[in-house]
Amino acid sequence: MSDALLQARGLTKHYGARLGCADVSFDLDPGEVLAIVGESGSGKSTLLSLVATELAPDSGSVSYRMRDGVMRDLSRLSEAERRALMRTDWGFVRQDARQGLRMAVSAGGNVGERLMGAGARHYGTIRGTALDWLAKVEIAADRVDDPPTRFSGGMRQRLQIARNLVTGPRLVLMDEPTSGLDVSVQARLLDLIRGLVAELGLAVIIVTHDLAVARLLSHRVMVMRAGRVIETGLTDQVLDDPAEPYTQLLVSSVLAA
Amino acid sequence: MTSAKITSATIVPALEFRDVAKTFTLHLRGGVQLPVMGGADLAVYPGECVVLGGPSGAGKSSLLKMAYGNYRCDRGTILVRDGETVTDVASASPREVLALRRHTISYVSQFLRVIPRVGAREVVASAGREGGLAADRALARAEELLSCLNLPERLWDLPPATFSGGEQQRVNIARGLIAERPILLLDEPTASLDARNRAVVVELIRARQAAGAALLGIFHDTDVREAVATRVVDVTAFRQRQAA
């Protein structure tokens, strides 16, 4: 008997003749952090888009345990159900904050908007909750009315996190949330994510090319190459005792500081 | 995972290696095979402190890492008993291994894997919470351990990244000992400590042993080894496959 939160089965996607990803299956438990690692073009972002139902697979399925405990095939949800799920019970933190935020709306508005999308109507409550969350992600109160166009890269990512977590999701997808940031900014963001994930018991699927990020955040890791999962297991086991030639290459290519 | 009922009258090992074999294959070196272990058989009972002996490179650390699920096994079983539950680490799923680490096995390595921005006391207390202590109890116990290990109080709120090797190691020991799990794996926990702090660690180890924990460790210092070992096992014997 499985009590998985999410089950992916046989996910396959081609872009024309080119393979995106092939026959990927996995289970994700509540509170579990799964890292998908691999180099550019390995299919990890395609896989994440399939899980997020932003891409339709050629074959395969994704099922999710809804809040009522029933496992549903996501492709069978109505559009209204799917949208409700994505804006309340799921979060998606993107590499490019411009895709995850409304750049012309204030920071407070970005967080409040998602709360309203989840059904909140009382302005005072919305503003109060938004402020709480901005404080949690270390955005100073005097920046609440600024739009994210005036934020640094690290602040934008923290704002994305607040926007996603404000509705109390059970599953958060993250696509390279720390890449492109200065290392000190990256460390701060990683630590913030690590703390929030543990505190809130979130299930997370994080796509990263950075093995250190996978080690710091994840319980389990899937290594992808050329669209296929080539190795999977406990994160420290895969990183400390990699079995596949390609995983050994990835692990040995990391520069030690 | 295997599960079996054990009667309370029998004394059974808490940790048992049966014919455990391990070879590293280095694919980037043309597939060179590095045999580490040909067949390890070892049982560690509650209240024992078994010290692994043998020259450097004999596979002592590998054995500990296999017991913690950090290295895979090619063959054999590693049975971990907690109460009436028996888990074979060698064949356990990642979730089962994580559950063992939460409830049953602690591992103190030589080095602290530091986390940016998290202070020493919190590094220790969070390990206590993960091991099931209530938040206030975890904090109090973290402070007890850090003071007993002579880590100056002014360092408690600072992230250990900037600490000396010995200071980091003491944080690491506190982290490994705060949750009192029935099995404790120790990989040179005293390597960079002075005599005073080595003596503290010896006392902490003896206390865990007296409380009935099963300990398996590697100790380079002869004085520490002699103070804690109930038995020394030379792992060189595990290099060759042993007769069944």
Side-chain angles (χ1 to χ4, degrees), chain A residues 74-94:
Chain A
L74 294 184
S75 68
R76 306 237 168 110
L77 296 183
S78 70
E79 185 54 20
E81 284 176 315
R82 195 189 69 83
R83 289 173 63 95
L85 182 70
M86 299 298 148
R87 75 179 171 232
T88 55
D89 212 24
W90 287 35
F92 199 153
V93 177
R94 297 170 195 272

Side-chain angles (χ1 to χ4, degrees), chain A:
Chain A
M1 256 311 284
S2 163
D3 46 11
L5 183 66
L6 180 131
Q7 288 183 322
R9 289 292 175 269
L11 287 175
T12 302
K13 175 72 184 174
H14 288 81
Y15 300 100
R18 195 167 59 81
L19 178 66
C21 73
D23 197 23
V24 178
S25 300
F26 65 88
D27 283 10
L28 185 75
D29 280 358
E32 185 175 42
V33 180
L34 172 69
I36 304 173
V37 304
E39 295 177 309
S40 307
S42 60
K44 55 194 197 302
S45 291
T46 296
L47 176 58
L48 199 65
S49 298
L50 292 171
V51 169
T53 69
E54 292 182 343
L55 274 179
D58 301 338
S59 59
S61 67
V62 179
S63 306
Y64 182 72
R65 192 171 303 281
M66 308 295 277
R67 284 188 185 264
D68 61 8
V70 178
M71 208 72 186
R72 299 278 303 273
D73 181 336
L74 294 184
S75 68
R76 306 237 168 110
L77 296 183
S78 70
E79 185 54 20
E81 284 176 315
R82 195 189 69 83
R83 289 173 63 95
L85 182 70
M86 299 298 148
R87 75 179 171 232
T88 55
D89 212 24
W90 287 35
F92 199 153
V93 177
R94 297 170 195 272
Q95 177 175 7
D96 182 353
R98 285 170 299 187
Q99 289 174 16
L101 294 173
R102 297 233 288 153
M103 296 305 280
V105 174
S106 71
N110 262 287
V111 178
E113 185 187 55
R114 181 147 152 129
L115 269 178
M116 290 196 293
R121 287 293 172 264
H122 186 271
Y123 176 79
T125 317
I126 293 170
R127 173 126 184 130
T129 312
L131 285 172
D132 281 354
W133 267 98
L134 290 168
K136 262 192 194 159
V137 299
E138 303 167 17
I139 291 176
D142 62 359
R143 302 300 303 272
V144 168
D145 296 319
D146 290 349
T149 44
R150 290 198 213 143
F151 285 2
S152 66
M155 276 178 82
R156 287 181 190 179
Q157 292 309 65
R158 298 205 301 276
L159 178 58
Q160 264 204 90
I161 289 166
R163 177 179 161 97
N164 277 284
L165 297 189
V166 70
T167 55
R170 291 183 299 157
L171 173 63
V172 179
L173 310 180
M174 299 185 184
D175 189 4
E176 303 275 12
T178 60
S179 60
L181 301 174
D182 289 343
V183 282
S184 62
V185 176
Q186 208 179 75
R188 181 177 181 188
L189 187 64
L190 281 173
D191 181 48
L192 181 77
I193 294 174
R194 199 186 62 87
L196 288 171
V197 165
E199 181 191 329
L200 304 170
L202 296 174
V204 175
I205 301 176
I206 179 168
V207 161
T208 178
H209 68 278
D210 187 336
L211 299 183
V213 170
R215 191 191 281 276
L216 186 67
L217 294 180
S218 71
H219 302 117
R220 278 195 307 137
V221 65
M222 291 202 306
V223 183
M224 291 192 72
R225 186 191 194 191
R228 293 173 195 278
V229 173
I230 57 158
E231 185 161 359
T232 180
L234 204 60
T235 299
D236 60 286
Q237 193 178 73
V238 171
L239 297 184
D240 292 341
D241 185 14
E244 290 296 318
Y246 178 70
T247 315
Q248 291 189 356
L249 177 66
L250 276 186
V251 170
S252 68
S253 305
V254 176
L255 295 175

Side-chain angles (χ1 to χ4, degrees), chain B residues 33-47:
Chain B
Q33 304 263 317
L34 284 184
V36 183
M37 208 66 76
D41 287 292
L42 173 65
V44 186
Y45 290 83

